[in-house]
């Protein structure tokens, strides 16, 4: 990630120097990241009755959010011209979402594809944790979500704050992945080769980073899981657009951070179940957005 960010900063400087890039779109992304992150920190922080202490909390949260928004602005300026040239369809859904066109059928398709891909990645992760036991090897240590943590399950404001933080994280991760893909695309004239090469690099990097964690499972299960998840992420990002990739990452992370226990008597069952219902409602709304235009066309074609 560090290499991609440094190269992205250079690419952003070059695009600004040559007056290329969508500055309006970059400003919207920066505002979205900063706004969601600031609201997330306000919801998750412990507040004080002392005014001076509370002002300090708001000031620190605002500064942190603005700094991350600036990084998002630089990243979008860096990747947008290259992605528009090499993979022109990738940013279409994102641009329409930033323009507020939420009733566009493309928005519905992105949501449906993204949630489906996120669920598939969560199933792969669960199978990866179970696979070593099938061959008599010790399973890996369960994943602990450091971003949301156990506090996200304690109250509704904390859960909403965690959801916003997860959304910001996956906007950033998707942009970094897309920026790295764009940098590789600049080095080769063939887009398919660039996609395969960068996905292979991502599989190796993610496998090594995950296998280096304490309590990691056997390398073969980590490698298989990383290959499948990176393959899904690459396909969704390149073929199904950036917006779908962000939604896939958020869905995957939410299913890990808010597990629904089989016992409804556990203290966090209600919060996790509410998040699961939210995902189901998102699928329902996306289905309605996709099917409504077709229904109107069929209604106009029926003779009176």
């Amino acid at each position: 990630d560090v290499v991609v960010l440094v190269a992205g900063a250079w690419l952003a400087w070059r695009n600004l120097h040559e007056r290329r890039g969508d500055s309006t779109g970059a400003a919207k992304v920066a505002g979205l990241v900063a706004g969601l992150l600031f609201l997330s920190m306000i919801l998750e922080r412990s507040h004080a009755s002392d005014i001076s202490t509370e002002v300090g909390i708001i000031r620190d949260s605002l500064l942190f959010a603005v700094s991350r928004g600036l990084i998002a602005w630089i990243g979008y300026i860096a990747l947008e011209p290259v992605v528009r040239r090499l993979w022109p369809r990738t940013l279409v859904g994102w641009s329409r979402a930033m323009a507020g066109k939420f009733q566009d059928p493309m928005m519905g398709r992105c949501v449906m594809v993204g949630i489906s891909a996120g669920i598939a990645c969560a199933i792969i992760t669960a199978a990866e944790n179970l696979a070593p036991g099938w061959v008599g090897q010790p399973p890996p240590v369960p994943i602990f979500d450091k971003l949301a943590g156990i506090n996200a399950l304690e109250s509704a404001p904390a859960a909403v704050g965690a959801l916003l933080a997860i959304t910001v994280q996956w906007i950033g991760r998707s942009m970094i992945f897309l920026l790295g893909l764009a940098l590789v695309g600049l080095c080769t004239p063939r887009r398919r080769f660039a996609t395969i090469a960068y996905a292979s690099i991502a599989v190796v990097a993610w496998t090594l980073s995950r296998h280096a964690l304490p309590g990691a499972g056997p390398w073969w299960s980590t490698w298989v899981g990383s290959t499948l998840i990176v393959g899904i992420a690459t396909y969704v990002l390149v073929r199904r657009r950036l917006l779908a990739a962000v939604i896939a990452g958020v869905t995957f992370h939410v299913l890990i951070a808010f597990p629904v226990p089989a016992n409804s008597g556990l203290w966090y069952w209600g919060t996790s179940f509410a998040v699961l219902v939210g995902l189901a409602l998102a699928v329902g709304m996306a289905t309605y957005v996709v099917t409504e235009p077709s229904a109107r066309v069929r209604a106009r074609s029926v003779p009176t």
Side-chain angles (χ1 to χ4, degrees):
D1 289 355
V2 175
V3 176
V4 173
L5 290 174
V6 172
W10 170 81
L11 190 59
W13 177 85
R14 193 186 73 169
N15 290 337
L16 289 173
H17 181 70
E18 297 178 359
R19 296 187 178 183
R20 294 189 299 178
D22 181 11
S23 58
T24 302
K28 291 181 179 180
V29 172
L32 176 66
V33 169
L36 292 180
L37 191 55
F38 175 72
L39 184 58
S40 169
M41 296 181 70
I42 293 298
L43 289 172
E44 292 185 304
R45 293 284 294 270
S46 298
H47 296 275
S49 57
D50 182 64
I51 296 180
S52 60
T53 303
E54 188 66 19
V55 169
I57 292 175
I58 295 175
R59 182 197 61 229
D60 294 341
S61 300
L62 183 60
L63 290 176
F64 183 81
V66 170
S67 66
R68 293 303 183 270
L70 179 60
I71 294 174
W73 185 87
I74 294 173
Y76 195 84
I77 288 292
L79 66 87
E80 191 268 342
V82 181
V83 173
R84 290 284 186 192
R85 177 163 57 91
L86 298 178
W87 296 278
R89 297 174 53 192
T90 301
L91 295 177
V92 174
W94 181 264
S95 300
R96 293 186 184 181
M98 291 294 97
K101 299 179 180 179
F102 301 115
Q103 293 185 343
D104 192 312
M106 183 181 293
M107 299 294 99
R109 289 192 292 270
C110 286
V111 172
M112 295 173 68
V113 170
I115 292 179
S116 300
I119 293 174
C121 291
I123 293 174
I124 291 171
T125 301
E128 180 185 336
N129 293 332
L130 296 174
W134 297 339
V135 295
Q137 293 182 324
V141 175
I143 297 177
F144 175 72
D145 178 58
K146 296 181 179 180
L147 181 63
I150 197 71
N151 294 332
L153 301 172
E154 293 181 349
S155 65
V160 173
L163 289 173
L164 296 178
I166 289 171
T167 302
V168 171
Q169 185 185 65
W170 281 99
I171 291 175
R173 285 187 176 183
S174 300
M175 289 180 61
I176 290 174
F177 194 92
L178 186 56
L179 179 58
L181 180 60
L183 292 171
V184 175
L186 289 175
C187 301
T188 175
R190 303 188 64 179
R191 292 179 295 177
R192 181 171 297 180
F193 177 78
T195 303
I196 295 174
Y198 186 70
S200 301
I201 295 172
V203 168
V204 173
W206 200 22
T207 301
L208 293 176
S209 63
R210 295 174 66 200
H211 194 63
L213 295 174
W219 69 268
W220 58 267
S221 63
T222 306
W223 178 77
V224 171
S226 299
T227 301
L228 293 175
I229 291 176
V230 171
I232 291 174
T234 304
Y235 172 79
V236 171
L237 186 62
V238 174
R239 303 293 296 178
R240 298 295 179 179
R241 303 177 176 87
L242 174 63
L243 179 61
V246 173
I247 295 172
V250 172
T251 302
F252 168 70
H253 200 143
V254 162
L255 292 175
I256 293 176
F258 297 91
V260 180
N263 183 5
S264 60
L266 291 178
W267 62 273
Y268 63 91
W269 185 88
T271 302
S272 297
F273 184 73
V275 172
L276 193 63
V277 170
L279 286 177
L281 290 176
V283 173
M285 293 176 63
T287 304
Y288 173 76
V289 170
V290 170
T291 57
E292 185 189 20
S294 301
R296 288 200 299 264
V297 171
R298 289 195 300 268
R300 286 197 298 266
S301 62
V302 175
T304 57

